[in-house]
Amino acid sequence: MDKDDFLSMDFKEVVENLVASDNSPNIPEAIDRLFRDIANINRESMAEITDAQIEEMAVNLWNWALTIGGGWHVNEERKIKLHYVACKLLSMCEASFASEQGIQRLIMMNIRIGREWLDVGNFLIADECFQAAVASLEQLYIKLIQRSSPEADLIMEKITVERDHFRVLSYQAESAVAQGDFQRASMCVLQCKDMLMRLPQMTSSLHHLCYNFGVGTQKNNKYEESSFWLSQSYDIGKMDKKSTRPEMLAKVLRLLATNYLDWDNTKYYDKALNAVNLANKEHLNSTGLFLKMKILLKGETSNEELLEAVMEILHLDMPLDFCLNIAKLLMDHERESVGFHFLTIIHERFKSSENTGKVLLLYIDMLLQRKEELLAKEKIEEIILAHQTGRQLTAELMNWLHNILWRKATSSFEVQNYADALQWYYYSLRFYSPDEMDLDFAKLQRNMACCYLNLQQLDKAKEAVAEAERHDPRNVFTQFYIFKIAVIEGNSERALQAIITLENVLTDEESEDNDLVAERGSPTMLLSLAAQFALENGQQIVAEKALEYLAQHSEDQEQVLTAIKCLLRVVLPKIAEMPESEDKKKEMDRLLTCLNRAFVKLSQSFGEEDLSLESRVNEAQWFRKIAWNLAVQCDKDPVIMREFFILSYKMSQFCPSDQVILIARKTCLLMAAAVDLEQGRKASTAFEQTMFLSRALEEIQTCNDIQNFLKQTGTFSNDSCEKLLLLYEFEVRAKLNDPLLESFLESVWELPHLETKTFETIAIIAMEKPAHYPFIALKALKKALLLYKKEESIDVSQYSKCMHNLINLSVPDGASNVELCPLEEVWGYFEDALSHISHTKDYPEMEILWLMVKSWNTGILMFSRSKYVSTEKWCGLALRFLDHLTSFKESYETQMNMLYSQLVEALSNNKGPVFHEHGYWSKSD
């Protein structure tokens, strides 16, 4: 068997299994496989299967697809695939084309499947099915002609074939329109149109099809195509007025007129006007009349022609709302004279009707637009009089009236005619009764208060704001006007409370008020206005609070940075004069919070509203210097000083890394590390100590990176900062018991230019709790002593202290068994000290005394170990130091000689234990 044979047998097996299976999850996969394979199967590849078997497979698949319910894992598209496969199988059978019934069945199946594919948007397969249906229809038609039948029967059968052909052509037109193939779609529709003489019952169907094509193409701005389809829809509809109502024909024509307007209202003006006139002849209604007026206004129609058109509307007794809409349309197109004349006629005509209020309001609105304010006020007084005598406007009309009055007041306010604005607001106020007070009433009072403030009528403004506060106390604008009045009156406490309340309201929820205020991007703009107003009126504390809140709540990057800069400029001079106190600390904390907020804003990106690179650098430079200066002022509070230095460092990261900035970063980190190190020394718990020291280590390492980079320039090779960093890092690692301490020191010992003071400091740090590294301390002191010896002029005082520490570390007081280095080496230190003492008169006498006592006690220690030769050696050394004492010599000489004699006697008599109890000496003895 070849490949095709295997494919056909496998295909047959899949079909049989599918039809016989229950609701299985594998069904969708099987259907997709059948749909995929059918394209590669033809009759030759299924030669071993009879037509009857193929037909049976097709019928089973078709019927099985029809029986699949909603609980199966099969969607609508897969059902269509099954129908398609069944139809393709059936078309392979010669028997399907042998009889008229077989061909009719294929036609039915292809039309149905094509429609289904059309509905799911698969236009290519839909076209394939429709083409197959057309081919089958042609075959059927030939068979009908070839057989002998009664004339009447033959005519009916031909009509049936033509009706099916009409359906296929209409579906093909739909597919072509969906694919944007206007030429193919129009050809199909024109073929259908030619068939209407024989199929009049299809007129309505084709009429609606063309209308739908016209609507769809117009939505896609394909005006030329839309005009064709709508014109065809109208022409086809006229062919059978019994099935096409005049209303529908008028609707088509109105859409055609609109299409011409949208296409090119100048070029196709006449066509649009003819279409709407024709529509109004078919069926006159308000929509057609309104559209005609729109078209007339698009052209160069004279006022006289427009007046004729509106008078025609009056003669048709159109409803009031329609007439008002026409009047508005005229006004909107700057045909005020015609519109106002029409409105005057409407006013008179509907004067006695229930809708007189609506006419009157529009009349007032138009009067105000025409600047005829006196006449408008007369009409408003009429409404007020009617309102007071019980003929009140509806709630909807009352809202309209308020909007008219407020709009007019707003326009007066915008040109700073506050007195006139108040008049219009006062008209609005007269329509409120005591039981109708609402939020709009509070808004009205605020707007009036704003006008009073601009007119400097403070008492009236206070009354209006008091009313607003009574009805809407939680409104941001109510609090803003309370604040303004308090500032004007110099009531700082009241102004500050208003700012706090305003901030609380902004925090609770966004305000959506439309009050008459300056242009604003968000409610937080009120805080900006409040700060500005407070500063202008000398209320510095209030301004500070407003600026602080503005920086806290605004989402605008530039606004936040500006607010913080302004706040700092206001507060910094005041802080500079404050003595150290809790109040000053609170102010510093507040400024630190603000600067941190500035850093966050500088770190954020806002797309198109983002700061330019240059602006960001300039802002960062300014804040960096401010943070630095504040840090310098906090010398009495190291913790807050550190925070400012770290903030200055962070700000500097937005700046170009030039030499000045790098030095500033290094200094900031060095100061921060110093504070953290001190905090670590004072920490009360091991956890706190580790935290502070680890933080210091990070700062030191970053500082080292900067220092190394700067050293590459050759300018900072002998910078004292390097030695300080070395000591800081050593102390941190020592206190953290860092396992890398030894490797760190290996590089330190090799560093050139280290001074004796550095080594002595390392020694001290090595022995400070919790660190305990005596061998490191000893090595550092040895290096320091070596440096002292190399000096041309030795600082005897510093040398003596170094020697003291080295000897004391080598042979600690009270040591009985353990020394850090051999006594022979220690003896060399004593000899070295004695040599310096012999050659200088400036050696401190207390240090000589200490060396004498230390050497004597070492001798006694040797005696206790039965090392008698060493005992005499060390005690003899002590007498040599005694010879160099001056003021203390007389006090110690007799006693020392006596003790030495006793020692010599003890050595000769071997009375070590007795002498041991009394032989140790201290400087206080």
Side-chain angles (χ1 to χ4, degrees):
M1 297 177 70
D2 59 18
K3 180 180 177 182
D4 288 342
D5 292 334
F6 279 115
L7 181 62
S8 62
M9 293 301 293
D10 189 40
F11 187 90
K12 181 174 180 292
E13 183 180 350
V14 173
V15 172
E16 291 173 349
N17 291 337
L18 185 64
V19 173
S21 66
D22 292 328
N23 187 5
S24 168
N26 297 325
I27 288 177
E29 183 181 348
I31 294 172
D32 291 341
R33 180 180 174 186
L34 287 176
F35 180 72
R36 185 173 59 251
D37 290 347
I38 194 65
N40 301 316
I41 292 177
N42 52 36
R43 189 66 187 90
E44 287 74 20
S45 67
M46 300 183 74
E48 76 286 353
I49 305 174
T50 65
D51 276 5
Q53 290 175 313
I54 293 175
E55 183 176 357
E56 183 183 2
M57 276 197 299
V59 171
N60 287 340
L61 266 182
W62 184 276
N63 292 335
W64 186 76
L66 292 175
T67 60
I68 295 173
W72 291 68
H73 303 283
V74 181
N75 58 25
E76 287 302 316
E77 186 171 350
R78 287 197 172 93
K79 290 181 184 180
I80 301 171
K81 288 180 179 180
L82 287 173
H83 284 161
Y84 177 76
V85 172
C87 186
K88 293 288 283 185
L89 286 172
L90 202 60
S91 66
M92 295 178 190
C93 302
E94 292 182 6
S96 298
F97 299 96
S99 66
E100 293 178 11
Q101 290 78 12
I103 296 174
Q104 286 172 347
R105 181 169 62 176
L106 279 176
I107 292 169
M108 178 274 294
M109 293 173 74
N110 273 306
I111 292 175
R112 173 170 176 169
I113 298 165
R115 179 73 254 183
E116 290 175 342
W117 282 123
L118 190 59
D119 290 339
V120 297
N122 195 327
F123 306 118
L124 294 179
I125 301 182
D127 287 342
E128 176 193 326
C129 295
F130 295 143
Q131 196 59 44
V134 169
S136 297
L137 283 166
E138 290 173 353
Q139 289 181 324
L140 180 61
Y141 194 79
I142 292 170
K143 282 188 176 291
L144 290 176
I145 294 172
Q146 288 175 346
R147 69 176 168 85
S148 58
S149 299
E151 185 68 21
D153 292 343
L154 186 60
I155 291 172
M156 290 302 296
E157 289 172 348
K158 285 182 178 180
I159 289 173
T160 301
V161 171
E162 278 203 279
R163 187 170 58 247
D164 287 340
H165 191 202
F166 184 97
R167 287 173 59 204
V168 173
L169 285 170
S170 64
Y171 291 163
Q172 286 179 314
E174 279 193 63
S175 178
V177 168
Q179 296 176 72
D181 191 344
F182 172 69
Q183 185 175 359
R184 183 159 63 93
S186 59
M187 287 176 60
C188 291
V189 168
L190 291 175
Q191 275 186 268
C192 289
K193 187 177 179 183
D194 291 339
M195 298 167 68
L196 288 178
M197 294 299 293
R198 299 183 297 279
L199 300 170
Q201 70 275 19
M202 305 304 292
T203 303
S204 178
S205 170
L206 190 60
H207 159 70
H208 283 96
L209 182 67
C210 290
Y211 175 77
N212 292 335
F213 288 168
V215 172
T217 49
Q218 188 184 55
K219 286 180 180 177
N220 292 321
N221 300 327
K222 296 180 178 180
Y223 300 117
E224 185 174 3
E225 294 179 20
S226 179
S227 297
F228 172 81
W229 294 122
L230 294 171
S231 297
Q232 290 298 321
S233 177
Y234 175 66
D235 290 344
I236 293 166
K238 282 196 305 178
M239 294 170 66
D240 184 9
K241 287 202 172 184
K242 290 182 180 179
S243 62
T244 309
R245 295 166 58 85
E247 292 90 333
M248 184 61 195
L249 291 174
K251 183 178 181 181
V252 173
L253 288 166
R254 287 195 299 270
L255 187 60
L256 179 59
T258 303
N259 186 70
Y260 282 132
L261 280 185
D262 294 340
W263 189 0
D264 188 334
N265 60 57
T266 302
K267 186 176 180 180
Y268 299 106
Y269 171 79
D270 291 334
K271 287 188 175 184
L273 188 58
N274 289 336
V276 77
N277 283 332
L278 198 54
N280 289 339
K281 285 181 182 179
E282 289 287 351
H283 179 73
L284 184 63
N285 67 3
S286 59
T287 306
L289 290 170
F290 193 81
L291 179 57
K292 180 180 179 179
M293 187 60 67
K294 280 181 65 177
I295 294 171
L296 289 172
L297 289 168
K298 292 286 185 181
E300 297 179 356
T301 311
S302 66
N303 286 345
E304 289 74 15
E305 291 177 285
L306 288 175
L307 195 56
E308 287 179 14
V310 297
M311 294 308 292
E312 180 185 351
I313 291 172
L314 287 175
H315 291 141
L316 293 171
D317 290 328
M318 300 305 291
L320 173 62
D321 285 341
F322 177 75
C323 293
L324 293 177
N325 287 334
I326 291 293
K328 288 180 182 177
L329 183 66
L330 290 164
M331 295 290 186
D332 291 341
H333 284 78
E334 299 180 354
R335 298 298 186 98
E336 291 88 353
S337 59
V338 180
F340 193 73
H341 180 70
F342 184 48
L343 190 59
T344 305
I345 296 172
I346 297 170
H347 181 220
E348 292 300 321
R349 171 170 289 197
F350 293 95
K351 196 170 186 179
S352 58
S353 71
E354 295 179 358
N355 294 315
T356 184
K358 188 180 294 185
V359 182
L360 191 55
L361 290 186
L362 184 58
Y363 190 56
I364 292 169
D365 201 2
M366 296 301 113
L367 285 170
L368 290 175
Q369 289 184 33
R370 291 168 59 87
K371 310 296 183 185
E372 298 183 24
E373 297 179 5
L374 289 177
L375 186 54
K377 289 178 179 180
E378 289 180 13
K379 297 300 178 183
I380 293 169
E381 291 292 348
E382 288 181 20
I383 296 176
I384 293 172
L385 181 61
H387 186 78
Q388 293 172 347
T389 56
R391 291 178 290 130
Q392 298 178 349
L393 296 175
T394 64
E396 181 182 358
L397 292 179
M398 185 58 72
N399 284 335
W400 186 8
L401 175 59
H402 284 305
N403 286 335
I404 292 171
L405 295 171
W406 287 25
R407 189 167 63 245
K408 174 57 183 168
T410 301
S411 63
S412 296
F413 185 94
E414 287 172 350
V415 296
Q416 300 181 7
N417 192 346
Y418 306 116
D420 187 63
L422 277 171
Q423 286 187 25
W424 297 105
Y425 283 132
Y426 184 68
Y427 278 130
S428 180
L429 185 63
R430 290 173 68 183
F431 286 100
Y432 280 96
S433 60
D435 58 339
E436 292 178 333
M437 305 304 181
D438 56 10
L439 294 181
D440 282 337
F441 175 77
K443 187 187 298 185
L444 175 61
Q445 293 289 354
R446 287 192 295 270
N447 290 348
M448 294 179 72
C450 185
C451 295
Y452 285 131
L453 285 173
N454 281 287
L455 293 171
Q456 298 183 352
Q457 298 178 15
L458 187 59
D459 291 338
K460 290 184 178 181
K462 288 174 66 176
E463 291 176 11
V465 170
E467 282 295 311
E469 185 178 19
R470 194 158 63 90
H471 293 92
D472 194 10
R474 294 284 296 169
N475 182 277
V476 291
F477 294 98
T478 300
Q479 293 302 322
F480 179 72
Y481 287 123
I482 292 172
F483 158 81
K484 287 193 76 172
I485 291 171
V487 169
I488 292 170
E489 292 182 326
N491 189 340
S492 300
E493 185 177 348
R494 175 72 163 149
L496 194 59
Q497 184 57 50
I499 284 293
I500 294 170
T501 306
L502 176 60
E503 189 268 345
N504 289 335
V505 174
L506 289 174
T507 304
D508 289 345
E509 58 183 345
E510 287 288 328
S511 174
E512 296 184 357
D513 205 298
N514 296 317
D515 279 6
L516 209 170
V517 295
E519 288 290 329
R520 58 188 176 88
S522 68
T524 52
M525 184 58 72
L526 287 178
L527 291 170
S528 177
L529 294 171
Q532 181 180 348
F533 191 75
L535 287 173
E536 289 171 353
N537 287 272
Q539 295 284 343
Q540 183 172 319
I541 294 176
V542 179
E544 290 174 18
K545 183 61 70 174
L547 289 167
E548 191 175 347
Y549 285 150
L550 177 60
Q552 184 176 343
H553 295 293
S554 177
E555 296 294 331
D556 183 84
Q557 185 184 38
E558 189 171 354
Q559 188 180 57
V560 171
L561 296 177
T562 302
I564 294 173
K565 287 170 74 175
C566 186
L567 176 62
L568 289 169
R569 288 189 178 105
V570 171
V571 175
L572 286 177
K574 180 176 70 175
I575 288 182
E577 297 176 359
M578 291 177 69
E580 294 298 326
S581 62
E582 191 63 29
D583 288 340
K584 183 173 183 177
K585 187 178 185 306
K586 288 179 181 178
E587 286 297 307
M588 286 295 187
D589 287 338
R590 181 162 68 121
L591 294 184
L592 181 62
T593 301
C594 289
L595 283 170
N596 272 312
R597 189 168 292 115
F599 171 72
V600 170
K601 283 297 175 184
L602 282 173
S603 304
Q604 291 175 350
S605 177
F606 287 86
E608 293 180 0
E609 298 178 3
D610 192 13
L611 289 174
S612 66
L613 179 61
E614 184 180 359
S615 298
R616 185 184 294 274
V617 170
N618 291 337
E619 295 287 6
Q621 286 279 25
W622 193 88
F623 285 115
R624 175 187 73 81
K625 293 173 182 177
I626 292 296
W628 177 286
N629 292 335
L630 286 170
V632 172
Q633 292 182 40
C634 294
D635 56 322
K636 299 292 192 296
D637 189 345
V639 176
I640 196 80
M641 178 179 70
R642 176 202 178 273
E643 296 302 318
F644 280 121
F645 272 125
I646 286 293
L647 199 50
S648 182
Y649 167 75
K650 289 179 179 179
M651 292 290 188
S652 71
Q653 291 179 310
F654 295 115
C655 305
S657 298
D658 56 24
Q659 192 177 87
V660 173
I661 292 298
L662 287 173
I663 294 172
R665 289 178 189 170
K666 182 186 73 172
T667 308
C668 288
L669 289 171
L670 186 65
M671 297 300 291
V675 174
D676 282 330
L677 186 55
E678 184 61 27
Q679 291 284 97
R681 292 169 186 152
K682 297 178 179 177
S684 57
T685 65
F687 173 79
E688 286 183 351
Q689 185 177 62
T690 301
M691 180 189 71
F692 286 122
L693 293 177
S694 298
R695 195 164 70 179
L697 185 58
E698 289 180 9
E699 292 154 354
I700 291 165
Q701 288 172 335
T702 306
C703 201
N704 272 325
D705 292 340
I706 298 172
Q707 176 70 14
N708 292 334
F709 182 82
L710 286 170
K711 282 174 67 177
Q712 293 175 7
T713 65
T715 310
F716 300 92
S717 57
N718 294 319
D719 187 6
S720 60
C721 173
E722 185 176 10
K723 297 166 187 173
L724 195 56
L725 284 170
L726 185 152
L727 293 174
Y728 282 174
E729 185 169 359
F730 172 70
E731 181 173 357
V732 169
R733 291 185 183 277
K735 284 182 167 57
L736 287 173
N737 196 22
D738 187 356
L740 299 176
L741 181 62
E742 290 291 344
S743 61
F744 165 73
L745 282 174
E746 285 177 10
S747 59
V748 172
W749 301 134
E750 303 301 323
L751 287 175
H753 310 303
L754 289 184
E755 301 170 348
T756 53
K757 183 65 177 176
T758 304
F759 286 117
E760 288 176 314
T761 305
I762 289 174
I764 294 170
I765 293 171
M767 298 304 291
E768 277 184 354
K769 291 182 179 181
H772 184 72
Y773 296 95
F775 288 103
I776 292 175
L778 194 63
K779 187 171 183 178
L781 289 172
K782 288 178 181 178
K783 286 185 173 292
L785 193 64
L786 187 61
L787 288 176
Y788 276 122
K789 290 181 178 180
K790 292 180 179 179
E791 292 177 357
E792 293 182 4
S793 176
I794 298 177
D795 185 332
V796 177
S797 175
Q798 293 299 321
Y799 169 83
S800 65
K801 290 178 183 177
C802 181
M803 181 63 77
H804 181 127
N805 291 332
L806 177 60
I807 292 173
N808 198 44
L809 188 63
S810 302
V811 187
D813 289 334
S816 56
N817 297 310
V818 181
E819 290 86 27
L820 292 179
C821 59
L823 280 177
E824 290 80 3
E825 184 178 332
V826 178
W827 175 268
Y829 300 149
F830 278 94
E831 287 282 4
D832 191 40
L834 189 61
S835 174
H836 279 85
I837 293 168
S838 302
H839 292 87
T840 180
K841 297 179 180 180
D842 297 330
Y843 207 96
E845 188 177 14
M846 290 299 296
E847 289 298 324
I848 299 172
L849 178 61
W850 182 85
L851 288 167
M852 180 193 76
V853 173
K854 191 72 175 178
S855 56
W856 177 269
N857 289 343
T858 303
I860 300 303
L861 176 65
M862 295 298 101
F863 185 84
S864 68
R865 296 178 181 176
S866 301
K867 295 181 179 181
Y868 304 122
V869 175
S870 294
T871 300
E872 187 173 3
K873 177 181 175 182
W874 282 99
C875 290
L877 180 62
L879 293 177
R880 292 165 66 188
F881 281 112
L882 176 65
D883 290 339
H884 292 283
L885 291 174
T886 54
S887 59
F888 290 107
K889 185 174 182 179
E890 187 176 347
S891 303
Y892 284 94
E893 188 172 24
T894 303
Q895 191 176 3
M896 280 286 292
N897 287 326
M898 181 182 68
L899 284 172
Y900 187 75
S901 299
Q902 292 176 359
L903 175 64
V904 172
E905 183 181 352
L907 286 172
S908 59
N909 296 329
N910 196 16
K911 295 180 180 179
V914 176
F915 188 78
H916 179 262
E917 293 177 6
H918 305 286
Y920 279 110
W921 209 351
S922 69
K923 288 189 291 182
S924 59
D925 289 342

